Amino acid sequence: MKALATYALFWIILFNNHICLKSEEHNFRIKLDEFSVKYKLRDLIDNIDFRIVHLNNRSYVNGEMMLKSDVKDILMHTAMDFWKSSNKKKLKLYDGRLDACQFLRTAHRNGMFNIYVKSFRKHTNANLACPLKMNYSYTLRNWHMDEKDLPPFVPFGTFRTITEYFTQERLALRIVTQGKVIANK
């Protein structure tokens, strides 16, 4: 669920800034190099463990999280940098704050967000809605970016996201994701 907003925003920004060009086939794939989750509220989070698995030329994220209490409000601060392979110049794609619960309620209204919500629903055991429930094992299995769901061309390069989740004005989670858009061989 946490990666959902990060990746959705990444692709929305790419499309809105007209970085993508039209092509007839998907000549790229998404490779994740890092997906690290650090939790700060030991009184809120009972267990959390997410890992990347590389299998059959694809990156998958697997993991689980269990909370010690219900979470009714989640604010998110997320930022993403992208370095195009062609010039290595750093682009700040976004840096914003939003209500994560509202995002989950309204994602279906936007075509791009809907792609990510559907993707996560295929790979999670949870209803992606607030409040998050205590003593429930939120599990993500074999989640990956399916390039078929994205426009035919995305520029090659490297990306890094830093996403922080707050509840009751306290930092709960920090997720760092690094990866690449590379040629599909």
Side-chain angles (χ1 to χ4, degrees):
M1 176 174 66
K2 308 303 185 216
L4 169 66
T6 301
Y7 287 105
L9 288 173
F10 168 66
W11 297 113
I12 293 295
I13 297 299
L14 281 176
F15 304 148
N16 287 340
N17 287 322
H18 306 290
I19 293 173
C20 295
L21 302 173
K22 186 147 176 93
S23 176
E24 293 193 9
E25 62 184 60
H26 290 78
N27 65 341
F28 66 92
R29 64 185 171 86
I30 309 300
K31 179 180 184 284
L32 297 178
D33 298 316
E34 178 184 358
F35 188 88
S36 64
V37 181
K38 296 198 172 42
Y39 66 100
K40 306 295 184 179
L41 296 180
R42 303 228 183 263
D43 61 325
L44 175 66
I45 300 170
D46 187 33
N47 174 42
I48 192 164
D49 182 31
F50 286 89
R51 297 168 192 230
I52 295 176
V53 175
H54 298 283
L55 184 63
N56 298 327
N57 210 20
R58 178 166 300 284
S59 301
Y60 298 94
V61 176
N62 292 308
E64 67 178 329
M65 175 180 72
M66 188 174 296
L67 302 171
K68 292 180 181 178
S69 63
D70 290 351
V71 178
K72 297 176 184 167
D73 68 290
I74 305 169
L75 296 176
M76 178 173 64
H77 173 240
T78 185
M80 179 175 224
D81 298 319
F82 186 82
W83 295 264
K84 288 174 69 173
S85 293
S86 59
N87 61 14
K88 299 291 184 193
K89 184 178 178 181
K90 178 180 168 180
L91 301 168
K92 174 71 74 181
L93 295 181
Y94 59 80
D95 186 347
R97 298 179 187 276
L98 61 110
D99 180 326
C101 293
Q102 181 180 356
F103 165 77
L104 289 171
R105 285 190 303 270
T106 61
H108 67 280
R109 294 182 187 164
N110 180 299
M112 284 307 301
F113 285 129
N114 194 31
I115 289 171
Y116 299 101
V117 171
K118 284 182 180 179
S119 173
F120 272 81
R121 284 191 175 138
K122 283 190 244 178
H123 299 279
T124 188
N125 67 334
N127 179 17
L128 300 176
C130 292
L132 299 179
K133 303 291 183 189
M134 67 183 271
N135 297 325
Y136 182 82
S137 179
Y138 288 90
T139 305
L140 187 63
R141 293 286 175 243
N142 297 325
W143 180 80
H144 63 280
M145 290 299 307
D146 190 344
E147 293 80 9
K148 295 177 200 164
D149 293 336
L150 301 171
F153 178 81
V154 174
F156 299 138
T158 304
F159 60 88
R160 179 186 64 212
T161 63
I162 299 174
T163 305
E164 296 173 320
Y165 295 91
F166 298 83
T167 185
Q168 300 174 352
E169 299 182 14
R170 301 184 306 162
L171 176 61
L173 291 173
R174 184 171 201 242
I175 300 172
V176 176
T177 306
Q178 293 188 151
K180 300 176 188 81
V181 179
I182 58 177
N184 190 16
K185 297 179 182 181

